């Protein structure tokens, strides 16, 4: 095993670099697509999700609440926070409310760099490149753990002397502790100036009862290409070292700056927060 592989890796899933295209195993991007009602998924993805929902039905609510959090966070960043540059890691298959659409609806000049390592996201990347004229978007086919390469390619579109919002929505639980996600996030934050933002959502250890979590991770070991690591609220807070959290701080995704009159439909298993770099 090299330092770039997670313990237990025997199928190449945790090697750094683009994922293989494999329809016999569930992929995170395609499972998420199925959760959100999309059509870019295969039988293995649907079977894994169906099994996961049987174990923990609120996963459906979680995925939808996560996507809604992404929308509210980007509206906050482009609106109140005045951010015009975004680096989005773990973009997923394009769907309603892609980040550049949300940001450019508020600030048409917004520039967005998308990053993912799944070939199915690359295959659909054209939908992410459909920027309006005033702004720009770019897609980088890369593994988050190849952080240095991502930062140097992103510099072709983003000006790293000006504030950037770094968004890591529902991706860090796919990075095992062995690959040191804390150093990856620290490296991303180091690359952006003071006044930049970090937004994260991540599978929360305390948000799902231990028995369900063990069953879920056991199912994932059998069915899925990627494996997941839940993290405690305290661990998620560590990602935000060097930032000040904007209100309401670190909360489940469905509680972050809810639109008036919304909410109360369920409980997610994802922590989230948005922090401003000091
Ligand atoms: C659940 S989707 C989230 C999509 C979107 N960020 C959202 O929250 O709506 C997570 C994405 O992260 C990608 N991903 C997971 N591990 C990655 C890695 N090491 N490098 C790049 N992308 C990764 C997956 O391929 C998938 O498309």
């Amino acid at each position: 095993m090299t330092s770039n592989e997670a313990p237990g890796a025997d199928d190449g899933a945790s090697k750094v670099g683009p994922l293989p295209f494999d329809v016999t195993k569930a992929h995170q991007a395609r499972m998420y697509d199925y959760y959100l009602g999309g059509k870019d998924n295969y039988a293995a993805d649907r079977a894994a999700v169906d099994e996961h929902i049987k174990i923990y039905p609120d996963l459906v609510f979680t995925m939808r609440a996560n996507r809604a959090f992404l929308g509210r966070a980007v509206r906050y960043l482009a609106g109140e926070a005045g951010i015009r540059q975004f680096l989005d890691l773990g973009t997923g298959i394009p769907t309603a409310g892609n980040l550049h659409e949300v940001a450019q609806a508020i600030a048409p000049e917004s520039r967005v760099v998308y990053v993912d390592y799944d070939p199915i996201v690359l295959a659909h990347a054209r939908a992410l490149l459909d920027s309006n004229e005033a702004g720009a978007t770019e897609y980088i086919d890369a593994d988050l753990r190849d952080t240095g390469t991502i930062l140097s390619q992103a510099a072709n579109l983003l000006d790293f002397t000006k504030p950037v919002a770094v968004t890591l929505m529902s991706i860090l639980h796919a990075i095992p502790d062995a690959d040191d996600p804390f150093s990856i996030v620290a490296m991303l934050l180091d690359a952006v100036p003071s006044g930049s933002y970090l937004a994260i959502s991540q599978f929360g250890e305390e948000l799902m009862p231990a028995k369900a979590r063990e069953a879920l991770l056991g199912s994932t070991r059998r069915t899925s290409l990627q494996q997941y690591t839940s993290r405690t609220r305290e661990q998620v807070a560590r990602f935000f070292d060097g930032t000040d959290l904007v209100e309401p701080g670190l909360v489940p995704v469905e509680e972050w700056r809810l639109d008036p009159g919304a909410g109360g439909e369920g409980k997610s298993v994802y922590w989230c927060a948005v922090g401003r770099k000091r």
Side-chain angles (χ1 to χ4, degrees):
M1 191 174 81
T2 72
S3 60
N4 284 337
E5 289 178 5
D10 56 5
D11 57 3
S14 60
K15 285 204 183 74
V16 174
L19 278 190
F21 182 75
D22 183 350
V23 295
T24 67
K25 289 267 186 190
H27 284 220
Q28 187 189 14
R30 300 181 329 219
M31 290 167 70
Y32 189 61
D33 176 76
Y34 181 50
Y35 270 115
L36 297 183
K39 301 219 174 329
D40 297 303
N41 47 72
Y42 295 83
D45 308 308
R46 296 189 287 274
V49 169
D50 291 344
E51 197 169 307
H52 291 176
I53 294 172
K54 259 196 208 134
I55 294 168
Y56 203 74
D58 275 352
L59 284 169
V60 179
F61 173 77
T62 297
M63 300 309 157
R64 295 184 180 164
N66 176 67
R67 191 70 190 175
F69 162 65
L70 183 150
R72 294 196 304 281
V74 174
R75 280 204 299 279
Y76 167 81
L77 292 164
E80 215 170 301
I83 291 292
R84 298 293 175 263
Q85 307 192 94
F86 295 82
L87 177 56
D88 182 51
L89 295 314
T91 297
I93 297 168
T95 181
N98 294 311
L99 195 155
H100 73 284
E101 295 161 352
V102 179
Q104 291 183 347
I106 292 169
E109 70 274 33
S110 297
R111 298 165 90 78
V112 179
V113 171
Y114 289 114
V115 181
D116 207 291
Y117 73 160
D118 192 312
I120 199 158
V121 182
L122 177 65
H124 290 275
R126 195 181 314 156
L128 301 168
L129 300 178
D130 130 47
S131 171
N132 72 25
E133 298 248 312
T137 59
E138 198 50 78
Y139 182 79
I140 302 175
D141 177 30
D143 189 316
L144 173 59
R145 293 164 294 179
D146 236 339
T147 321
T149 307
I150 291 171
L151 286 170
S152 65
Q153 288 187 23
N156 293 331
L157 189 72
L158 304 180
D159 176 353
F160 280 102
T161 66
K162 302 213 170 97
V164 177
V166 176
T167 54
L168 291 147
M169 308 301 203
S170 189
I171 178 176
L172 288 171
H173 42 250
I175 307 292
D177 289 341
D179 287 334
D180 199 355
F182 295 98
S183 295
I184 293 173
V185 174
M187 187 171 173
L188 291 165
L189 263 184
D190 266 358
V192 296
S194 163
S196 293
Y197 284 82
L198 174 68
I200 287 176
S201 62
Q202 138 93 49
F203 180 18
E205 174 100 8
E206 319 83 332
L207 298 178
M208 186 186 283
K211 217 170 150 195
R213 198 174 63 243
E214 277 152 29
L216 184 73
L217 296 179
S219 158
T220 300
R221 275 193 289 279
R222 272 187 294 103
T223 58
S224 301
L225 200 55
Q226 292 116 317
Q227 303 302 314
Y228 305 107
T229 305
S230 58
R231 296 198 166 92
T232 63
R233 188 173 186 281
E234 206 182 331
Q235 288 172 319
V236 178
R238 264 185 62 203
F239 286 126
F240 289 92
D241 281 356
T243 75
D244 295 313
L245 297 189
V246 305
E247 286 298 322
L250 207 164
V251 293
V253 279
E254 69 278 17
E255 290 178 19
W256 198 89
R257 290 185 181 241
L258 266 192
D259 297 323
E265 302 120 37
K267 283 204 175 300
S268 82
V269 298
Y270 276 9
W271 291 121
C272 77
V274 175
R276 183 178 191 274
K277 185 175 171 178
R278 286 182 206 120

